[in-house]
Amino acid sequence: MKPSFAKERAMQRLVFQTRSFSFHLFDFDASGDLSGLELAAAARSLLNAPLFSAQDARAWSFASTGKPNLSLAWLDDDDNLATLALRSREAAARIIEHRPERLARHSFQAALPWDVGELLAALAFQLKIRAQPLLANSSWSYLELQVEPLQVIRYTKNGHYAPHSDSGWPGHRRLSFLVYLQAPIKGGETCLLPAGWNFSLHPWGAGRYRMHCAELLQAVGAVCFCPVPGRMLAWRNDWNADGSLEVPGAHVACPVVEGEKWVASAWASQTCDQGTVCQTHAGR
Ligand SMILES: O=C(O)CCC(=O)C(=O)O
Ligand SMILES: [Fe+2]
């Protein structure tokens, strides 16, 4: 199983996004610089990384600027911002090396082709039957289950998946299926976030999120499910009729606190020549 975290992609995003990021929004005490806690909140938002702690933030700042706090006046200078963005790459590389769970996703993953045997054929059949109630005004003839292999995902301690949508371009994963294979002893809930979830919203400290993710998310309107082996969770990733909702069906895999969690993920996709919503997004 390969680690699911795409290191290079995250690094690229980091440099690009650091340069356009609104650091000043995180100066909660209006002191003119970002301390460890404020910088951690900024990093969680910048990287969609709910487990990024104040300690990580101080290490990041120190490696990037030689100081534990980040001065906003220093950041106002474009050259300094460019330096921060570049040095952040090295700092982030070190963090990922030692604490890979600090960024948006940490798990191990293997792709399983659908044609390997009867068991998977039976699973595909079951998914199709069970998804019928979700297919209001639609049918399987517009969707393809086997365009992507089944993904088997293993989360070890602190393994998690930050808020994300399974849908994307150019195809549209209209339905998501999650089959629980093994439940952890603690943590690892799957939480479906309320519509309109703000992806830069990571209001909780890393420690609280790690231990109490499901409770915290439920308190802001998420619906959370505890993994039960053999059970399946399925949901729709609906775009608005005008194609305007860009992050449909946002959800989270909460950090595993103890034990291991194993799941299998599958998607029924609408390819781009089917349906106007898909076409609206295809050119992006
Ligand atoms: O493991 C989970 O609970 C969610 C997995 C997931 O979101 C995915 O595979 O896209
Ligand atoms: Fe997902």
Side-chain angles (χ1 to χ4, degrees), residues 241-255:
D242 65 359
S244 61
L245 184 61
E246 301 207 353
V247 282
H251 56 284
V252 164
C254 282

Side-chain angles (χ1 to χ4, degrees), residues 31 38 40 42 46 99 111 117 139 144 160 187-188 207 253 262:
S31 64
E38 291 166 333
L46 172 67
R99 305 214 176 273
S139 85
E144 286 291 338
H160 73 107
W262 287 66

Side-chain angles (χ1 to χ4, degrees), residues 76-136:
D76 274 346
D77 184 311
D78 273 354
D79 287 345
N80 289 342
L81 193 59
T83 306
L84 175 73
L86 279 179
R87 296 219 184 121
S88 292
R89 260 183 96 95
E90 294 148 33
R94 268 198 299 279
I95 292 171
I96 296 168
E97 212 67 68
H98 299 293
R99 305 214 176 273
E101 73 278 8
R102 290 305 197 242
L103 298 187
R105 180 179 191 186
H106 181 52
S107 57
F108 301 88
Q109 189 158 322
L112 209 55
W114 285 99
D115 56 7
V116 290
E118 281 173 23
L119 189 62
L120 286 193
L123 176 63
F125 184 71
Q126 286 296 324
L127 294 184
K128 287 183 183 185
I129 293 180
R130 282 155 207 254
Q132 287 311 328
L134 286 172
L135 289 168

Side-chain angles (χ1 to χ4, degrees), residues 105 153 155 161 164 166 178 180 188-190 251-253 261 263 265 267:
R105 180 179 191 186
I153 308 172
Y155 301 87
Y161 200 165
H164 68 281
D166 291 349
L178 191 63
Y180 294 106
E189 299 87 348
T190 307
H251 56 284
V252 164
K261 170 185 167 190
V263 297
S265 272
W267 300 276

Side-chain angles (χ1 to χ4, degrees), residues 3-196:
S4 64
F5 180 64
K7 199 162 149 182
E8 297 314 318
R9 218 178 61 196
M11 293 298 190
Q12 252 162 18
R13 269 183 46 190
L14 177 65
V15 174
F16 175 72
Q17 291 178 337
T18 302
R19 297 194 67 159
S20 53
F21 190 68
S22 303
F23 283 97
H24 65 273
L25 293 179
F26 296 86
D27 183 15
F28 303 129
D29 62 3
S31 64
D33 59 16
L34 300 186
S35 64
L37 280 175
E38 291 166 333
L39 195 54
R44 285 196 290 274
S45 166
L46 172 67
L47 304 168
N48 190 23
L51 292 181
F52 203 91
S53 68
Q55 200 184 344
D56 299 324
R58 276 191 288 267
W60 175 35
S61 176
F62 204 75
S64 308
T65 68
K67 298 197 174 83
N69 290 0
L70 203 58
S71 151
L72 291 175
W74 184 85
L75 276 182
D76 274 346
D77 184 311
D78 273 354
D79 287 345
N80 289 342
L81 193 59
T83 306
L84 175 73
L86 279 179
R87 296 219 184 121
S88 292
R89 260 183 96 95
E90 294 148 33
R94 268 198 299 279
I95 292 171
I96 296 168
E97 212 67 68
H98 299 293
R99 305 214 176 273
E101 73 278 8
R102 290 305 197 242
L103 298 187
R105 180 179 191 186
H106 181 52
S107 57
F108 301 88
Q109 189 158 322
L112 209 55
W114 285 99
D115 56 7
V116 290
E118 281 173 23
L119 189 62
L120 286 193
L123 176 63
F125 184 71
Q126 286 296 324
L127 294 184
K128 287 183 183 185
I129 293 180
R130 282 155 207 254
Q132 287 311 328
L134 286 172
L135 289 168
N137 308 321
S138 182
S139 85
W140 272 100
S141 54
Y142 294 102
L143 298 175
E144 286 291 338
L145 179 65
Q146 281 107 328
V147 285
E148 296 173 82
L150 188 74
Q151 299 290 333
V152 178
I153 308 172
R154 168 183 175 232
Y155 301 87
T156 52
K157 188 174 175 181
N158 294 334
H160 73 107
Y161 200 165
H164 68 281
S165 166
D166 291 349
S167 182
W169 304 285
H172 171 34
R173 287 166 168 170
R174 180 92 197 275
L175 299 180
S176 290
F177 299 96
L178 191 63
V179 181
Y180 294 106
L181 304 176
Q182 182 181 312
I185 296 166
K186 194 165 175 223
E189 299 87 348
T190 307
C191 295
L192 305 183
L193 298 169

